[in-house]
Amino acid sequence: MMQTITPQDMSVLSDQKVFIKSHFVIDNQIVKYAHQRLQIELAERFQVRLMNSADQADYRLDMFYTSLGTDRDSTGISVPIVNLSDPEQSAIVNILAVDMYHGIAEGNFYLTDLRNGKVLQKGKIHSRVRSDKFSTPFFSFPISNIDD
């Protein structure tokens, strides 16, 4: 999702002091990961100077995540191989199965000039990944692969 941020969205922030605030319904490790990823992307691609508080910054970027999630599922005929000494090392052998992976991340951002309180830029970024594959013990091949 962070790679969908365009230079038109963030060109004003080049070499500027920016405080980034992430918002989500719940505060968990996924939100912390997304926040760190956003900071690194802006620092690397747009040479943003990250500040620890809004008092130190000239701009504030508020990122409101509306979706941060992945879903993994498998349907078909599978045989579990259970390791009784260490259940975390258990595995599944697909006899005839469809493995599905779906990921959706999206959010709205607002870039505010803290010197005058005006919103300079706002927009939406999103990413969707869907990767389904047919699996057997001997081979697998993709059924669908969407990455946008």
Side-chain angles (χ1 to χ4, degrees):
M1 176 175 82
M2 302 311 170
Q3 293 173 341
T4 65
I5 298 172
T6 66
Q8 293 80 13
D9 294 333
M10 300 297 158
S11 61
V12 71
L13 296 181
S14 181
D15 200 36
Q16 298 296 318
K17 296 178 188 174
V18 180
F19 173 67
I20 301 173
K21 178 82 172 146
S22 292
H23 308 272
F24 194 56
V25 179
I26 56 174
D27 186 24
N28 60 22
Q29 293 297 74
I30 295 171
V31 177
K32 291 175 184 168
Y33 174 84
H35 181 77
Q36 290 296 321
R37 181 71 174 83
L38 176 61
Q39 288 185 317
I40 289 171
E41 190 73 24
L42 293 176
E44 290 293 314
R45 285 183 52 205
F46 304 105
Q47 290 71 49
V48 169
R49 295 175 19 208
L50 301 171
M51 298 292 118
N52 292 325
S53 73
D55 296 336
Q56 303 169 327
D58 296 323
Y59 298 92
R60 182 183 69 232
L61 178 68
D62 286 288
M63 175 60 82
F64 291 88
Y65 296 104
T66 53
S67 177
L68 290 171
T70 58
D71 184 29
R72 212 179 197 109
D73 198 6
S74 182
T75 185
I77 302 169
S78 301
V79 177
I81 299 174
V82 179
N83 182 342
L84 295 176
S85 64
D86 187 3
E88 290 185 16
Q89 297 296 321
S90 298
I92 293 175
V93 175
N94 291 326
I95 305 301
L96 189 60
V98 175
D99 294 319
M100 298 165 279
Y101 173 82
H102 303 164
I104 298 173
E106 63 183 15
N108 297 295
F109 68 86
Y110 297 87
L111 178 61
T112 305
D113 186 334
L114 294 175
R115 295 168 287 202
N116 60 23
K118 293 189 178 189
V119 174
L120 298 177
Q121 189 77 274
K122 60 184 176 178
K124 183 176 184 176
I125 59 174
H126 74 281
S127 178
R128 182 174 55 138
V129 175
R130 180 179 174 161
S131 177
D132 300 330
K133 67 178 182 175
F134 178 77
S135 299
T136 72
F138 306 107
F139 63 89
S140 67
F141 60 86
I143 298 171
S144 66
N145 192 9
I146 298 171
D147 192 2
D148 69 355

